[in-house]
Amino acid sequence: MVKIRVPATSANLGPGFDCMGIALGLYNTFIFEETNGGLLVEGSEKSFEEEDNLIYLSMKRCFEKINYKFKGLRITAKSDVPVSRGLGSSATCIIGGVMGANALAGNPLSKKEILDIAAEIEGHPDNVAPALLGGLVTSVVDSDKVYYSKIEVPKGIKFYALIPNFKLSTKKSREILPKTVPFEDAVYNLSRASLMTAAFSKGDFKLLKIAGKDRLHQEYRGELIEGYESIIKESEQAGAYGSFLSGAGPTILIAVPKKDRNIYLKLRNHVEKLKYFWEIKELFIDNRGAKICR
């Protein structure tokens, strides 16, 4: 039996579109057992308890890569990361599946090889990289290989994840994006993504108010999320370090000082007046990433 815990992630973080992500202290846990035959998936939504389950498909891909033959599997999932909210639930399934398969096969793969397989399954590494590695990770794919740099974020910061009770499909949030962007918008994002990396690296979190600005995706995706603009404005007025759309949304991530309570109270009061219910989760950065639990 193998038990693996994988953190939630938030990708993009404003200007870091499709290349930047951070691991958060909210987890999905998976238990894997090899059996004499068949497939049993427990703990997932009923619609996911079939052979098209992403955890199982990720395990199969890994087994194929390492040429490992298995008879049957029992997969048990304990899911605390909400689905289709922009917090990397799919990435947890992929990382959990690949790591689980690797462990059952005797751990023939390095962490880098696990990441390459996971990114191939996901199609991009911005969520799977921080889910596996922890911390703030900037990653790119070149010639089918993932190249990354990880920052272990200093203490002094936490996040409020504002999670609405409605979903937003990644497909829909992709379709609303423009096909081309002005040169000045590209430069705008490059400069702020660079500043954000420096801010997280040095713990200069006050820079996030400027570094977190974006012109490539947030203003477009925000149109799909009722309450988005008012929440961003309220967080800025309340004194937050920065505000970002988490992944493709609809979750909004608010960066605040580690000991804050005042900003929380102001955000709580604000979202209670909105049309939809917004849950607020206090989340800290996970600098470790996915791990096998003993």
Side-chain angles (χ1 to χ4, degrees):
M1 183 186 79
V2 177
K3 183 178 181 181
I4 296 173
R5 190 181 77 163
V6 189
T9 52
S10 180
N12 301 326
L13 297 174
F17 183 63
D18 274 6
C19 68
M20 196 176 290
I22 197 165
L24 302 169
L26 181 66
Y27 303 92
N28 281 348
T29 303
F30 309 97
I31 297 174
F32 303 99
E33 298 173 80
E34 194 167 358
T35 65
N36 290 325
L39 172 66
L40 177 62
V41 181
E42 300 176 321
S44 297
E45 294 180 18
K46 289 297 180 183
S47 59
F48 297 149
E49 294 182 355
E50 303 293 342
E51 290 196 1
D52 60 353
N53 179 283
L54 185 56
I55 309 165
Y56 176 65
L57 292 176
S58 300
M59 295 189 78
K60 281 184 63 179
R61 180 74 66 88
C62 182
F63 284 144
E64 290 167 0
K65 291 280 187 180
I66 60 180
N67 197 29
Y68 181 83
K69 307 299 181 183
F70 68 98
K71 293 181 179 179
L73 290 168
R74 178 175 181 173
I75 302 170
T76 305
K78 181 181 182 300
S79 302
D80 291 327
V81 181
V83 176
S84 299
R85 296 299 199 283
L87 287 167
S89 62
S90 294
T92 69
C93 295
I94 293 169
I95 291 295
V98 175
M99 284 185 65
N102 184 55
L104 290 176
N107 295 302
L109 298 174
S110 67
K111 186 167 283 190
K112 177 62 170 61
E113 290 170 326
I114 289 172
L115 179 57
D116 285 337
I117 294 172
E120 180 183 315
I121 296 169
E122 178 84 323
H124 43 82
D126 55 347
N127 276 304
V128 293
L132 176 65
L133 303 167
L136 176 73
V137 182
T138 302
S139 56
V140 300
V141 177
D142 191 283
S143 300
D144 297 324
K145 297 293 182 182
V146 179
Y147 297 86
Y148 67 88
S149 179
K150 172 188 170 180
I151 294 171
E152 290 203 9
V153 181
K155 296 179 180 179
I157 190 173
K158 66 181 178 181
F159 297 95
Y160 295 133
L162 277 64
I163 309 170
N165 63 346
F166 58 84
K167 298 179 180 181
L168 178 61
S169 72
T170 301
K171 182 176 183 293
K172 188 173 183 180
S173 64
R174 282 279 178 183
E175 289 175 345
I176 200 171
L177 299 181
K179 302 302 181 185
T180 61
V181 296
F183 184 82
E184 63 182 29
D185 287 353
V187 174
Y188 182 96
N189 268 57
L190 283 170
S191 61
R192 280 153 182 79
S194 300
L195 185 63
M196 174 169 282
T197 301
F200 274 113
S201 178
K202 294 184 176 182
D204 194 356
F205 302 126
K206 291 182 179 179
L207 287 174
L208 296 180
K209 184 176 182 179
I210 301 301
K213 302 296 183 182
D214 162 81
R215 288 183 180 175
L216 297 186
H217 70 106
Q218 290 194 149
E219 64 181 86
Y220 304 103
R221 288 170 166 170
E223 296 175 4
L224 302 174
I225 304 168
E226 185 162 340
Y228 170 77
E229 288 188 8
S230 72
I231 289 173
I232 296 297
K233 183 177 180 180
E234 180 67 23
S235 69
E236 291 176 349
Q237 292 177 346
Y241 284 144
S243 308
F244 327 104
L245 193 60
S246 186
T251 294
I252 300 170
L253 205 63
I254 312 295
V256 300
K258 186 175 181 179
K259 295 182 179 180
D260 171 75
R261 289 304 297 170
N262 291 331
I263 298 172
Y264 170 84
L265 293 173
K266 290 179 180 179
L267 289 171
R268 178 76 274 162
N269 181 62
H270 179 74
V271 298
E272 285 177 351
K273 301 172 185 176
L274 300 180
K275 177 180 178 181
Y276 295 99
F277 173 78
W278 291 76
E279 179 183 9
I280 302 180
K281 282 187 177 291
E282 179 185 64
L283 300 176
F284 295 91
I285 296 170
D286 181 314
N287 275 316
R288 181 170 181 177
K291 68 173 186 177
I292 297 177
C293 303
R294 302 299 180 184

